[in-house]
């Protein structure tokens, strides 16, 4: 996993964040108030993770 990015930095550099995730395939934690708010991951990685959870019979939240 890559170095965490603050919410303000992520907002100010959203295009860069998207490029790092989509093109460079990075997993980037975004931090708010010293806690990870979310981790930006490539879509295909997310889809595989959801499919794996569903295959194990675990509920997958989100979309």
């Amino acid at each position: 996993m890559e170095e965490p990015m603050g919410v303000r930095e992520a907002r100010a550099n959203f295009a860069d964040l998207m490029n790092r995730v989509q093109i460079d395939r990075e997993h980037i934690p975004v931090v708010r108030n010293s806690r990870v708010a979310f981790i930006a991951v490539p879509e295909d990685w997310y889809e595989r993770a959801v499919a794996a959870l569903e295959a194990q019979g675990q509920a997958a939240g989100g979309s």
Side-chain angles (χ1 to χ4, degrees), residues 34-54:
S34 301
R35 297 180 66 183
V36 175
F38 65 92
I39 300 174
V41 297
E43 181 182 9
D44 63 319
W45 186 93
Y46 169 80
E47 294 296 334
R48 287 193 314 272
V50 169
L53 287 173
E54 288 173 349

Side-chain angles (χ1 to χ4, degrees), residues 1-5 20 24-29:
M1 201 163 1
E2 300 302 318
E3 193 70 27
M5 177 182 286
R20 288 176 59 189
D24 298 336
R25 315 296 298 160
E26 295 181 32
H27 297 196
I28 303 173

